[in-house]
Amino acid sequence: AILSETYDGGIGSDDFFAVGGGESAHIAFDPDDPTLVYATTIGGTLTEYNADNELVREIKPYPEYVYGRESKDFRYRSNWNAPVTASPQKPGVIYYGTQKVLRTKDRGASFEEISPDLTKNERDKQGLNGGPITVENVGAEFYGTILTITASPHEYGTIWVGSDDGLVHVTRDDGETWQNVTPGNLRGAMVNAIDVSPHEPGSAYIAVTGYKLNDFRPYIYKLTDYGRRSKRLDRNLPKGNFIRVVREDPKRRGLLYAGGEGGMYVSFDDGAHWQVLDTGLPPVPVTDLMVRQGDLVAATQGRGFWVLDDLSPLRQASAALATKPLHVFTPGPVEMLKSGGEPGDFEAENPPRGAVLRYHLRGEHAAPLQLEISDGAGNVVRRYSSEEGDFERCVLGNSDQREPFEVKYPSTEAGANQWVWDMRRGGLHCIEDIKIFEGFGGALVPPGAYTVKVSSGGFEDTIELTLVPDRRFDASAEDFEVVESSILEITNLINELIDGVAAIRKSRAEIEALMNDHESAAPLQEIGGRAVERLSAWEKEVYQVSYETGEDEDNLPGKLISQVRHLLYVVDSTGPPVAAGALERLADLKGEWAALRAELDAITSTDIAAINQWARDHSIPHISLPN
């Protein structure tokens, strides 16, 4: 078992554990309470793993030593990939496949046979494996066994069974009676997987593999009316890429996913047509598929597990997209996870952190693409553009060149595109020649309803988006409101500080230019010099003017801007509830800013007023007021 998402940067060796069984076969558990996990492997092995105490129990129905013996001599023949499954209605009922279906209701303390032999039972194929020099009778190549068991999610006691020698059976009374519903003559090919339709209780999709018969063609059948009728669904699949598994999407009828020997396929019309599902998956055998929590999870032969996050675009795709200039797919609710970082060495990636926004463009769009996100009150909280703007140019200009800052832009390429909103509001005010080591990015927005509008070339599309809190927070709506009000107050404060620095720089530059133009005017030189000195001293209290590189943060004390920016980071990254110390710190910083603002007012009303009076007396444009 392995996590499909972590709160760290990546998914690594700390995030998986063994659940019994072996390297080859199947597991069964209650998906809503996966405490007990049943697993199989070679030699008839069946184990129970208890996640609460990590105890593994061997619960073979009839323990026999396998090695060196012929399978025709066993009570139960079992495949290397012996199937085990839990009843969806009664997860404590476990079905296990040999040549017969066995059932336990007491965690393997006892088993009962609920079927006859559901294979062809060809005795001439139950002898020694291998040869002619040596044989390898270890159970890996036993034949005439049940290969797959699927319990219906709709009704207890309806069970579909497929064998490795080309038979399909179904029972609707928990094994009291069985019907052979094999679709035609499968010639001994393996019934590799059976998926009961989540939309049609009497229908099932069957993946049949004939590669052991030197037949590498795909075989997909749909059985309806509990197997009374069947049809092939593999018409336009590649002839040399056999299919191991087919699953129907539980949300959209007729949306099928197929895992083959060389990759993945998708059908939007119940198997009438197939397309390659090329999403970065390497050309590797896909041995099993599961749709889980809106994602598609794939098991592969030797290349690990892969997850296609968020099936919303596939579920919403239609032929109309081919003619619609611009379409935005509606994502499901997005959890605002408090996590981040990048995967380390030998770690898998996490899903994208943020709200994944997917849009489809009919053709290349020469016009800029705009992406605008508004809150429930209609206020725009974030804008993106496919072209560089003033904010991006400013941030890039202020970045430490030893650690270049990268800015990404939404794509305007034809076809499907993806953009990840980090769930943050627009950035802080940015001016030239200022370093804020904790960045110019805005804080997280609060949970709630948002509207996303994408526009380009005169076309636009709008969707609704819901952000929900990180499930680990034990916080009330009022707690989130305090976070939001604090973030707004801190953000406004730091923007005022940055604007103040910009204003005094402008005033100082105008004073210096005026003094350069009138070097012989002694009164101007005196009052102008005093104003420049006071403005420079003021700036040094607001911003550490000696910052030059990233290392200077360690060597020089951060001034008021750095202190306020750090408080924004603390409140934003911590979330609810806001600590009393943070609110106390905010009050102190506001007091410091009030004193500095009073000092700036004094500079304005004395020195700069005197300069402007001199300028007016000499009919010269006056200096901009810094406040």
Side-chain angles (χ1 to χ4, degrees):
I2 188 165
L3 299 180
S4 60
E5 183 172 7
T6 68
Y7 298 116
D8 299 323
I11 304 170
S13 58
D14 293 339
D15 302 314
F16 70 82
F17 57 93
V19 295
E23 80 262 22
S24 60
H26 295 269
I27 59 173
F29 55 89
D30 178 359
D32 296 321
D33 183 20
T35 302
L36 301 176
V37 183
Y38 298 87
T40 66
T41 189
I42 193 171
T45 297
L46 177 61
T47 62
E48 179 198 71
Y49 169 83
N50 190 324
D52 284 344
N53 55 28
E54 301 184 9
L55 177 67
V56 178
R57 298 171 55 236
E58 287 276 357
I59 55 170
K60 284 185 178 182
Y62 186 75
E64 291 187 86
Y65 189 72
V66 170
Y67 294 89
R69 299 178 61 199
E70 299 181 9
S71 62
K72 63 185 176 183
D73 296 329
F74 297 139
R75 173 184 290 188
Y76 297 125
R77 301 187 302 273
S78 61
N79 198 281
W80 184 340
N81 297 331
V84 62
T85 193
S87 165
Q89 295 79 20
K90 301 178 181 179
V93 176
I94 305 299
Y95 301 101
Y96 173 67
T98 59
Q99 77 273 29
K100 303 176 180 181
V101 179
L102 310 182
R103 180 182 63 201
T104 179
K105 298 180 179 180
D106 53 13
R107 298 174 53 190
S110 63
F111 284 86
E112 55 185 324
E113 299 177 3
I114 65 167
S115 82
D117 190 328
L118 299 181
T119 74
K120 294 181 179 178
N121 192 20
E122 297 171 304
R123 301 280 291 177
D124 60 326
K125 298 174 183 177
Q126 298 171 13
L128 296 177
N129 305 143
I133 299 176
T134 61
V135 296
E136 190 186 42
N137 255 39
V138 298
E141 296 172 350
F142 287 171
Y143 184 72
T145 62
I146 292 174
L147 193 61
T148 182
I149 302 174
T150 302
S152 171
H154 305 285
E155 49 202 7
Y156 177 76
T158 295
I159 307 167
W160 300 73
V161 173
S163 73
D164 67 352
D165 54 6
L167 296 180
V168 180
H169 289 82
V170 65
T171 178
R172 299 190 62 189
D173 50 18
D174 206 26
E176 292 294 328
T177 58
W178 292 86
Q179 290 78 42
N180 185 335
V181 294
T182 306
N185 181 11
L186 299 184
R187 302 173 294 108
M190 295 190 298
V191 181
N192 204 66
I194 301 176
D195 185 58
V196 176
S197 169
H199 307 282
E200 304 171 18
S203 297
Y205 297 90
I206 313 295
V208 177
T209 60
Y211 65 91
K212 289 190 176 182
L213 305 176
N214 206 32
D215 182 355
F216 298 92
R217 291 172 293 182
Y219 294 95
I220 300 175
Y221 295 85
K222 182 177 182 180
L223 276 58
T224 55
D225 195 14
Y226 296 96
R228 292 183 179 88
R229 290 181 292 275
S230 67
K231 64 177 179 178
R232 290 275 295 274
L233 303 180
D234 47 58
R235 184 177 61 181
N236 72 318
L237 284 167
K239 298 305 179 186
N241 189 0
F242 62 87
I243 299 299
R244 292 177 178 267
V245 58
V246 178
R247 304 290 183 201
E248 185 179 21
D249 191 282
K251 297 293 185 181
R252 176 172 169 175
R253 182 190 295 265
L255 175 57
L256 305 181
Y257 310 104
E261 183 64 6
M264 286 281 301
Y265 302 90
V266 62
S267 173
F268 297 94
D269 53 10
D270 206 29
H273 304 87
W274 292 90
Q275 302 175 45
V276 174
L277 188 57
D278 185 4
T279 57
L281 183 72
V284 63
V286 176
T287 54
D288 205 355
L289 294 170
M290 175 180 283
V291 178
R292 175 72 172 157
Q293 296 176 341
D295 300 335
L296 181 63
V297 186
T300 69
Q301 188 97 340
R303 290 293 295 274
F305 297 108
W306 292 72
V307 181
L308 178 59
D309 298 302
D310 188 6
L311 293 170
S312 298
L314 290 175
R315 289 170 172 173
Q316 298 169 33
S318 67
L321 289 183
T323 58
K324 189 176 180 181
L326 170 62
H327 178 80
V328 184
F329 297 94
T330 301
V334 178
E335 185 176 4
M336 302 182 70
L337 290 178
K338 286 287 184 181
S339 58
E342 299 295 328
D345 294 338
F346 308 108
E347 286 190 335
E349 293 182 359
N350 271 303
R353 300 306 197 190
V356 181
L357 306 173
R358 298 179 174 92
Y359 55 94
H360 185 274
L361 299 173
R362 187 177 63 186
E364 300 280 349
H365 281 226
L369 183 138
Q370 306 289 335
L371 198 152
E372 190 175 86
I373 302 162
S374 304
D375 62 19
N379 303 308
V380 176
V381 296
R382 190 71 179 267
R383 286 189 177 93
Y384 294 102
S385 173
S386 60
E387 295 185 340
E388 184 180 79
D390 292 339
F391 177 78
E392 289 78 21
R393 280 189 290 270
C394 181
V395 173
L396 288 169
N398 286 326
S399 65
D400 182 2
Q401 295 308 306
R402 295 183 303 104
E403 297 178 6
F405 183 79
E406 181 182 5
V407 178
K408 297 180 180 180
Y409 304 95
S411 171
T412 60
E413 293 184 359
N417 294 278
Q418 174 175 298
W419 181 255
V420 180
W421 174 37
D422 58 8
M423 301 179 293
R424 296 187 175 276
R425 62 201 81 204
L428 303 172
H429 293 183
C430 184
I431 60 176
E432 294 181 2
D433 193 23
I434 188 170
K435 291 189 181 300
I436 300 179
F437 294 107
E438 289 180 296
F440 290 87
L444 290 167
V445 299
Y450 292 85
T451 299
V452 179
K453 181 174 73 174
V454 180
S455 58
S456 180
F459 303 103
E460 67 177 47
D461 196 15
T462 302
I463 61 164
E464 301 301 317
L465 171 67
T466 301
L467 303 183
V468 299
D470 187 317
R471 71 192 73 182
R472 294 170 294 172
F473 281 128
D474 182 16
S476 65
E478 291 74 18
D479 291 331
F480 281 101
E481 290 174 3
V482 174
V483 172
E484 177 64 6
S485 62
S486 300
I487 282 175
L488 290 176
E489 195 169 4
I490 300 169
T491 300
N492 290 336
L493 176 56
I494 193 171
N495 283 336
E496 286 182 30
L497 291 166
I498 294 171
D499 292 345
V501 171
I504 70 103
R505 286 179 177 179
K506 181 179 180 182
S507 296
R508 185 173 59 198
E510 291 175 353
I511 295 170
E512 291 172 340
L514 184 63
M515 293 171 64
N516 289 335
D517 291 342
H518 302 277
E519 293 180 351
S520 60
L524 173 63
Q525 295 298 321
E526 180 182 354
I527 58 177
R530 184 168 61 247
V532 168
E533 183 178 343
R534 292 184 71 183
L535 289 173
S536 296
W538 187 92
E539 181 182 12
K540 290 178 181 179
E541 293 300 316
V542 176
Y543 172 67
Q544 177 54 265
V545 298
S546 298
Y547 281 157
E548 292 183 1
T549 72
E551 296 299 322
D552 289 336
E553 181 184 20
D554 301 338
N555 302 323
L556 300 168
K559 299 298 183 177
L560 189 54
I561 283 180
S562 296
Q563 295 296 333
V564 178
R565 181 63 185 88
H566 180 65
L567 181 61
L568 178 62
Y569 163 78
V570 169
V571 174
D572 179 43
S573 61
T574 304
V578 178
L583 296 176
E584 184 180 358
R585 180 60 172 153
L586 174 57
D588 291 343
L589 293 173
K590 288 169 64 178
E592 291 183 36
W593 172 229
L596 285 166
R597 195 166 50 208
E599 171 66 13
L600 190 57
D601 288 341
I603 298 171
T604 301
S605 62
T606 55
D607 298 300
I608 294 179
I611 294 171
N612 282 337
Q613 186 59 52
W614 183 93
R616 281 191 291 270
D617 292 343
H618 294 80
S619 301
I620 297 172
H622 63 272
I623 303 300
S624 300
L625 300 180
N627 57 351

